[in-house]
Amino acid sequence: MRRDVVLPGIALAISLLLAFMGVVVVTAQQSVVTVKYIAGPLPADPFSNLWPAPVEVPLTSQTLVYPLPAATETRSVGVSAVYNGTHIAFLLTWSDNTQDAATPGGLDVFPDAVAVQFPVSKAQLPYICMGTVDNPVNIIYWRAGFGVENLVAGAGYGLNPQQREALGLQATPTSPVELLPASAQVINATAAYKDGKWYVVIIRPLGSVHPLMASLAEGFSAAFATWDGAKGERGGLKATSGWVTFQLEKPAAPATQTVRETVTVAQTVTATQLVETTPTWAWAVIGVLIAVIALLAGLALRRK
């Protein structure tokens, strides 16, 4: 028998068997992060046990915006996320051999940094490289020694001065990446550097507090970037990811409802047990007794 016929046949048979057993074979999968629900305060400590296992998101040196890197480099960033009724928190972890942070009065250095990019509109994913005039992106940007900023990119040149002033922006844009007004600077960040790794926690409202700030109250997409200051990375010199899908875990049902369901089930089981407490042999004996009584009653009538 020909091998080129047998092997595909075996593979097909195995696939059908796995499908019948409910096993799905995945050859390629886009990164998906499940945002864990927490009923209470979100962890600001990157080493808290409340964080779920991270999803490793691949990063590649960007080759679209100048200045371009001297060589393409592949990295990754670990992403964990949790939320409650009002806020969402991200834990971003990545390897970096040196801790590069700006210090007041110190020598000028390029700081290590990380950014998270969200589409402002969920109608269509924007251009991955900082959006467009018609489809801007909201960016949370953290730099070691500087802290965190809430930014918008792509919208700058698509608004007239009156629209810009109404949104709290400068009347004349100076860059495609702009700082959102003070009322939108509602982002908190904590960071730690340990054993050659950065751990950065970013906490922001679940919803939007500004028209150019993304709402994350439902499933959303995000992209990531990191900068290695020791390698002179800044601006367009960075490693970036593609779009990553985030799914919000649904809160568990209230405990009172669970208790009621348990009581209902217990009552049903008890009723069933009461019905089944009379054994089969007892019903047989009762039937025989009824037959004997009927026979004796018939004989008595005949004698009369």
Side-chain angles (χ1 to χ4, degrees):
M1 188 174 294
R2 293 173 54 188
R3 179 176 296 182
D4 60 345
V5 175
V6 174
L7 293 181
I10 294 175
L12 177 60
I14 293 174
S15 300
L16 292 173
L17 178 61
L18 291 174
F20 178 76
M21 296 172 64
V23 178
V24 179
V25 179
V26 179
T27 56
Q29 183 177 357
Q30 182 184 4
S31 296
V32 176
V33 177
T34 298
V35 185
K36 179 182 176 182
Y37 177 79
I38 294 179
L42 299 179
D45 180 4
F47 306 107
S48 169
N49 58 10
L50 294 177
W51 294 106
V55 173
E56 288 296 323
V57 176
L59 305 172
T60 304
S61 300
Q62 71 87 19
T63 57
L64 298 175
V65 178
Y66 287 95
L68 299 178
T72 301
E73 183 180 357
T74 300
R75 310 174 194 166
S76 68
V77 58
V79 180
S80 301
V82 294
Y83 81 107
N84 56 21
T86 60
H87 287 73
I88 185 169
F90 300 88
L91 171 59
L92 310 177
T93 307
W94 71 98
S95 297
D96 193 327
N97 293 329
T98 58
Q99 181 182 4
D100 305 296
T103 57
L107 297 176
D108 290 336
V109 298
F110 295 119
D112 297 328
V114 66
V116 189
Q117 174 178 276
F118 308 100
V120 172
S121 170
K122 294 184 179 181
Q124 182 179 2
L125 285 177
Y127 178 48
I128 190 66
C129 191
M130 297 189 297
T132 62
V133 171
D134 296 326
N135 201 354
V137 293
N138 176 209
I139 298 174
I140 297 176
Y141 182 36
W142 175 88
R143 291 179 292 169
F146 286 98
V148 66
E149 296 174 321
N150 197 12
L151 310 170
V152 63
Y157 301 106
L159 303 172
N160 61 46
Q162 291 76 22
Q163 291 173 322
R164 294 179 56 78
E165 290 179 355
L167 292 170
L169 304 175
Q170 295 180 357
T172 302
T174 58
S175 169
V177 182
E178 301 180 79
L179 188 68
L180 287 176
S183 61
Q185 298 303 319
V186 289
I187 315 297
N188 295 317
T190 56
Y193 182 83
K194 182 180 179 181
D195 299 330
K197 282 189 174 183
W198 275 110
Y199 300 82
V200 177
V201 175
I202 293 173
I203 302 178
R204 54 148 286 173
L206 192 61
S208 172
V209 300
H210 189 275
L212 295 177
M213 180 178 175
S215 172
L216 310 182
E218 299 176 356
F220 59 92
S221 296
F224 301 88
T226 62
W227 288 258
D228 187 342
K231 296 179 179 179
E233 294 183 350
R234 73 279 184 196
L237 282 173
K238 58 187 174 182
T240 62
S241 78
W243 289 111
V244 178
T245 301
F246 284 75
Q247 299 174 345
L248 271 62
E249 178 184 82
K250 293 183 178 180
T256 53
Q257 181 178 351
T258 303
V259 171
R260 289 175 182 174
E261 291 177 354
T262 302
V263 172
T264 302
V265 172
Q267 292 173 346
T268 304
V269 172
T270 302
T272 303
Q273 290 175 344
L274 289 175
V275 173
E276 293 179 352
T277 51
T278 306
T280 305
W281 63 266
W283 287 113
V285 171
I286 292 172
V288 171
L289 289 176
I290 292 174
V292 170
I293 292 172
L295 179 61
L296 294 176
L299 292 175
L301 292 174
R302 286 183 181 181
R303 287 177 182 176
K304 291 180 181 181

